[in-house]
Amino acid sequence: MKKSLVAVALLGAFAGVAHAQTAVQIYGTVDAGVVKRTDQTVAIGKRAANTLGFKGTEDLGNGLKALFQLEIRYEPDTGTVENNTRPLFQGQSRVGLQGDFGMVRLGRGLTPFQEVVGSFEPFHGLPTPAGFYTDISVAGFNSAPLDSGANAAGSGANTNRISNAIFYNSPVTSGFQVNASWATKEAVSNGTAITGIGAGSTSYAAGAQASANPFSVAATYNNGPAAAMLAYERNAVESKVWSGAGSFAVNDNLKLMATYSHQNLEHTNTLRPEIRAWLVGATYGMGPGKFLAGYGQKHQENTAKTKQLSLGYEYNLSKRTYLYVDAARKKNIVNAITGNLATTPTVNHYDVGVNHSF
């Protein structure tokens, strides 16, 4: 009996030590609203990505920590996995170590370019069509064109994350930080074929292996009211993009920002390889609310210029909950495959909803 009591006491002590050294957090976002777009009926949709995540750290001693993060993305109106074709842990699934050397992680996640460029557009890098991140900030660049669900133009189920990768984040020194990633050439099952456009272009069969190791590098600077970034990335089919951006907080209420991105598709599209995009934007806080505004253009070589104007407003009910309303107009939308104007070349987008984080 005494031995049993001692064993129970020891187990309790060890459990206490483990609990003290390990921290696990459950977090997420629930965003839902009413959305109306040109030529589409009113629908329940979203402004931000809906997430459910688990992340944690374990203190290994001597300044070294083990860490992990798993993140599910889902649709708010049906409760299904995002887009029905994406992985369970679409958001990310990474494990690694952190110390004086910085942070090293392995698995799946946003590329460094995709992770930082959204900070320099007024809609916070959210995937909403009212914002600029998905199409203008990244010039429509696809970081994972061979992933399951991609279409012939190389876009589709996933555009900003890579799998089978190693990620590195340097320590922050005087406001500067360097982030990099490198991925293997592993083929992604059920990937859709990519048909090259123009003489001398390269095509990829369904499930084809990458022709190059994808990599991405981004340098950032944050110091007081000023922030800036430079980034370069090459994907699995050898498309390339480079981007520069900056922002400046004029005062506690007003923040200005601008982004320029240049994409080169010459490996798979010799007819229209160059895509250039830029945007300017601002946010202005007034009491519990914030106004968002921006204007941007994207121009694929030998096609019309796509132009976008967006306005938004957020009202904070608390630190974790806010209401929002957006309105955007995009003109001269181009079909990336044919180079012609899309069937509906001008689209108006409106949304109103609520966002809660936990």
Side-chain angles (χ1 to χ4, degrees), residues 101-161:
F101 54 84
M103 182 165 55
V104 177
R105 292 170 291 173
L106 295 166
R108 168 184 173 80
L110 286 166
T111 69
F113 161 61
Q114 299 276 5
E115 193 164 30
V116 301
V117 70
S119 302
F120 298 90
E121 68 100 7
F123 288 79
H124 326 300
L126 299 177
T128 171
F132 297 89
Y133 169 64
T134 302
D135 193 37
I136 304 293
S137 291
V138 301
F141 183 77
N142 190 338
S143 294
L146 297 179
D147 266 17
S148 175
N151 62 27
S155 63
N158 172 70
T159 61
N160 53 13
R161 289 167 171 79

Side-chain angles (χ1 to χ4, degrees), residues 291-334:
F291 293 92
L292 321 172
Y295 176 80
Q297 291 187 7
K298 185 176 78 170
H299 184 209
Q300 184 168 5
E301 192 173 353
N302 299 319
T303 67
K305 289 183 179 179
T306 300
K307 302 176 181 180
Q308 179 178 339
L309 174 65
S310 296
L311 302 172
Y313 179 72
E314 300 171 354
Y315 185 84
N316 292 305
L317 299 175
S318 70
K319 291 183 177 180
R320 296 184 299 168
T321 304
Y322 68 86
L323 304 176
Y324 60 83
V325 58
D326 301 312
R329 181 177 179 84
K330 185 177 288 189
K331 296 178 60 178
N332 298 332
I333 299 173
V334 174

